[in-house]
């Protein structure tokens, strides 16, 4: 076994059907009394229902969370938190909502309780993001790590098939890159392989029956593991490309899903052990092709061309990715990266 460094992050996880009923006890545990409830505009009704379990302790609602945390909306949320003297944020939703909790925590230090309702995995990481003027800035800060995470699959039964599948593949992408991260370790690899196994088994069952509570629970388990894997290891070429394409306005989870099999194909021969473990977790002979087939079976878009990518931008994206690459098993070079992007643009089977 090679030398490694493992960092454990302090977070408390309350997992299982019906556990959102434990939110009042978790708020008490943090000794907070003035909660700011955060959601996206569409999830207000669910959040109101949850807020009823906290009589006298909800100081305000912010229901304007949006993808990639645009700075103007974040400032509005921060001002609201300050003006109502909030002492805790409860973020109920996907990566966008949790991202708002983190953005508030970044400048105020307020504790965040996350109640994830997608599979983004953001609730387990110290990674924050903000976007300004079309550019997304990210960083890592222990302050933004949610103190408590409540995973209750009952809250996810209305998550539409397209969002379920795409955010599930976003979580699988975290696990894939953790398996070949330059700073990976055996513990994270265990979690990554198990995360892929749980998600690859759950997502097809969810697409068949959106109300399958067992499948939803398995997917939340997988996304927890996925978030935990990227919380302490570095991401590589795949995430770099998705950050570049996200900056060009492409939707987050769908971009991850489309790029993943092609980024894996790029790294295929340079990361044989990771590929072996991924193939085993999805019961496929070849890892990149197996991931591609899984996505196709989930009905996901397979071509960057179908989610708003302009062909004329492929070269620019390849140049940005190659100029400031993240550490990656195979050397990141302009020509091969452009070919990867062209394959993703056309949706070619690896
Ligand atoms: P999202 O949070 O944007 O949610 C997608 C849509 O699904 C929204 O319209 C939301 O209202 C809706 N939704 C959420 N839960 C629902 C439910 N239970 N039922 C019905 N509808 C529901 O999407 P996402 O993929 O979870 O998150 C993407 C964002 O998360 C991006 O901004 C990305 O950068 C960020 N992210 C951050 C990290 C991190 O570690 N910081 C990790 C992954 C993703």
């Amino acid at each position: 076994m090679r030398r490694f460094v493992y960092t454990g992050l302090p977070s408390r996880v309350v997992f299982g059907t019906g556990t959102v009923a434990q939110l009042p006890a978790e708020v008490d545990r943090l000794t907070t009394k003035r909660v700011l409830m955060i959601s996206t505009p569409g999830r207000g009704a669910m959040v109101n229902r949850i807020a009823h379990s906290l009589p006298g302790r909800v100081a305000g609602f912010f229901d304007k969370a949006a993808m990639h945390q645009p700075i103007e909306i974040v400032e509005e949320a921060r001002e609201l938190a300050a003006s109502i003297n909030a002492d805790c944020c409860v973020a109920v939703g996907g990566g966008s909502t949790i991202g708002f909790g983190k953005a508030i925590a970044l400048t105020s230090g307020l504790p965040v309780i996350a109640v994830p309702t997608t599979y983004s995995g953001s609730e387990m990481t110290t990674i924050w993001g903000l976007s300004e003027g079309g550019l997304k800035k990210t960083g890592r800060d222990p302050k933004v790590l949610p103190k408590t995470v409540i995973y209750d699959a009952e809250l996810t039964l209305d998550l539409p098939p397209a969002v379920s599948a795409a955010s599930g593949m976003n979580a699988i992408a975290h696990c894939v890159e953790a398996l070949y991260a330059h700073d990976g370790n055996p513990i994270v690899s265990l979690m990554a392989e198990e995360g892929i196994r749980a998600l690859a088994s759950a997502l097809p069952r969810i697409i068949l029956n959106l109300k399958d509570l067992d499948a939803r629970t398995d997917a939340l388990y997988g996304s927890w593991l996925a978030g935990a894997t990227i919380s302490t290891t570095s991401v590589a070429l795949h995430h770099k490309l998705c950050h570049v394409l996200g900056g060009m306005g492409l939707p987050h989870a769908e971009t991850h899903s489309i790029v993943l099999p092609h980024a894996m194909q790029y790294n295929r021969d340079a990361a044989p052990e990771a590929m072996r473990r991924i193939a085993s977790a999805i019961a496929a002979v070849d890892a990149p092709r197996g991931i591609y087939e899984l996505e196709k079976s989930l009905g996901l878009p397979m071509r960057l061309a179908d989610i708003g990518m302009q062909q004329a931008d492929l070269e620019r994206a390849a140049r940005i990715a190659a100029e400031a690459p993240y550490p990656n098993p195979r050397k990141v070079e302009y020509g091969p990266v452009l070919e990867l992007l062209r394959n993703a643009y056309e949706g070619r089977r690896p």
Side-chain angles (χ1 to χ4, degrees), residues 40 43 68 94-96 102 117-118 120 125 127 136 155 159 252:
T40 49
R43 307 309 301 157
H68 299 316
S96 300
K102 289 174 160 183
T117 64
T118 71
S120 78
T125 82
I127 304 167
K136 184 157 178 187
L155 303 178
L159 192 64
H252 180 85

Side-chain angles (χ1 to χ4, degrees), residues 17-280:
T17 305
T19 47
V20 76
Q22 292 177 39
L23 177 61
E26 295 303 322
V27 168
D28 286 346
R29 218 176 150 268
L30 295 179
T31 64
T32 57
K33 293 186 169 56
R34 299 190 58 79
V35 172
L36 174 62
M37 303 288 299
I38 309 173
S39 71
T40 49
R43 307 309 301 157
M46 176 193 269
V47 169
N48 263 313
R49 257 196 331 274
I50 294 173
H52 277 122
S53 68
L54 294 169
R57 277 176 287 175
V58 176
F61 291 86
F62 183 81
D63 66 357
K64 297 185 199 164
M67 177 109 67
H68 299 316
Q69 296 78 243
I71 188 73
E72 318 76 59
I73 314 181
V74 164
E75 288 302 350
E76 207 183 310
R78 285 172 173 166
E79 279 161 26
L80 176 65
S83 71
I84 61 173
N85 283 324
D87 59 6
C88 172
C89 296
V90 173
V92 185
S96 300
T97 305
I98 294 164
F100 267 72
K102 289 174 160 183
I104 294 172
L106 187 65
T107 48
S108 65
L110 288 189
V112 177
I113 297 180
V115 186
T117 64
T118 71
Y119 310 127
S120 78
S122 173
E123 64 281 357
M124 295 309 296
T125 82
T126 58
I127 304 167
W128 54 264
L130 290 172
S131 56
E132 188 168 11
L135 282 182
K136 184 157 178 187
K137 217 167 49 177
T138 62
R140 291 184 188 245
D141 192 320
K143 265 205 301 284
V144 308
L145 181 73
K147 297 276 179 285
T148 306
V149 181
I150 298 179
Y151 287 104
D152 183 345
E154 272 180 353
L155 303 178
T156 66
L157 297 179
D158 292 334
L159 192 64
V163 188
S164 302
S167 87
M169 291 311 303
N170 183 193
I172 287 183
H174 301 334
C175 298
V176 165
E177 294 231 290
L179 278 166
Y180 55 60
H182 73 97
D183 50 3
N185 61 67
I187 304 299
V188 161
S189 292
L190 277 178
M191 292 194 287
E193 188 176 337
E194 173 74 355
I196 296 172
R197 187 167 286 117
L199 285 155
S201 139
L203 296 177
R205 290 184 281 141
I206 290 170
I207 298 307
L208 270 181
N209 174 11
L210 295 176
K211 307 285 184 200
D212 183 335
L213 193 58
D214 285 342
R216 292 286 194 184
T217 302
D218 289 351
L220 277 184
Y221 169 60
S223 61
W224 164 17
L225 294 172
T229 65
I230 52 158
S231 64
T232 57
T233 58
S234 302
V235 290
L237 175 63
H238 167 77
H239 280 75
K240 173 74 190 190
L241 287 171
C242 293
H243 291 162
V244 173
L245 298 177
M248 294 176 167
L250 298 198
H252 180 85
E254 290 78 2
T255 305
H256 268 274
S257 164
I258 293 172
V259 171
L260 183 61
H262 304 287
M264 289 171 66
Q265 178 70 6
Y266 188 100
N267 284 326
R268 192 175 180 281
D269 296 336
E273 173 61 8
M275 296 299 154
R276 187 195 63 71
R277 293 181 79 155
I278 297 161
S280 152

